[in-house]
Amino acid sequence: MATLKDIKLKIAGVKKTQQITRAMNMVASAKLRGAQERMERFRPYAGKFIEVLADLSARTEPDIHPLLTPAPEVKKVDLIVLTADRGLCGSFNTNLVVTAEKFIAEKKAAGVSVDAYAMGRKGRDYLRRRGYEIFKDIVGQMGQIDMDLATVIGREETDRFITGDTDE
């Protein structure tokens, strides 16, 4: 039978674990808030960028560049799923993978094949457990996403589109 001292030690240990967990949660929340603020600050640039691209593509001949020519029939779609490598992000990862799963279900219902490009361990693991096709994954880069990585991913997807490996 446990003594009073053993019970007090156990209670103290549980309280310390709770305190550490709360601290880790606060750090993760602060990091997530920072990332969200950076994304919000980028939103006006992204909107203007889309506007400029739409204007340019409307004024040019579709035959000039293969990226401006839509596929006559969409049979295969690539989906880039970007999640965190670790937890403690609240519903961040869950919302992303649920949205990806809904997108995949809609496309499959329309008879379109979907390949996933999983960035982040949480998304990769989730999609693998569900049996979805993952043609490439990148893990361990979420803390250091930069323009070089975005350029590499953009080039890979552009090459897949131009060679006909994907339609969208």
Side-chain angles (χ1 to χ4, degrees):
M1 179 149 186
T3 64
L4 184 59
K5 184 177 181 181
D6 291 338
I7 294 172
K8 285 183 179 180
L9 285 172
K10 184 71 170 175
I11 290 171
V14 169
K15 284 184 180 179
K16 287 198 184 292
T17 303
Q18 286 176 334
Q19 189 177 11
I20 291 169
T21 304
R22 263 195 304 272
M24 290 173 65
N25 197 359
M26 286 174 26
V27 168
S29 295
K31 285 183 178 181
L32 180 60
R33 258 193 316 277
Q36 285 175 329
E37 288 172 6
R38 286 191 300 275
M39 287 186 334
E40 289 296 324
R41 286 195 307 261
F42 185 73
R43 191 166 287 195
Y45 298 107
K48 193 65 172 172
F49 186 71
I50 290 170
E51 185 181 315
V52 168
L53 281 179
D55 188 48
L56 284 174
S57 65
R59 295 181 188 197
T60 58
E61 295 288 324
D63 301 333
I64 291 174
H65 196 280
L67 289 178
L68 297 174
T69 308
E73 184 182 355
V74 178
K75 295 179 183 174
K76 193 171 201 178
V77 174
D78 283 357
L79 174 65
I80 299 175
V81 181
L82 189 123
T83 60
D85 287 322
R86 293 181 285 163
L88 296 175
C89 293
S91 59
F92 175 74
N93 293 320
T94 304
N95 289 337
L96 290 170
V97 294
V98 166
T99 302
E101 199 167 27
K102 285 179 186 174
F103 178 84
I104 293 169
E106 287 173 10
K107 291 297 181 181
K108 285 193 176 186
V112 177
S113 169
V114 179
D115 284 346
Y117 192 129
M119 279 196 64
R121 188 176 58 84
K122 291 292 185 180
R124 180 200 64 190
D125 293 349
Y126 182 90
L127 293 172
R128 272 192 186 155
R129 280 193 307 270
R130 301 286 189 284
Y132 292 115
E133 183 70 29
I134 299 174
F135 72 90
K136 183 157 185 184
D137 63 24
I138 296 178
V139 178
Q141 295 290 315
M142 289 306 293
Q144 54 211 14
I145 292 180
D146 57 4
M147 191 61 186
D148 294 335
L149 182 58
T151 303
V152 167
I153 294 167
R155 279 200 185 110
E156 289 172 358
E157 283 301 311
T158 301
D159 291 344
R160 283 178 57 84
F161 182 79
I162 290 172
T163 59
D165 292 338
T166 188
D167 300 320
E168 269 185 9

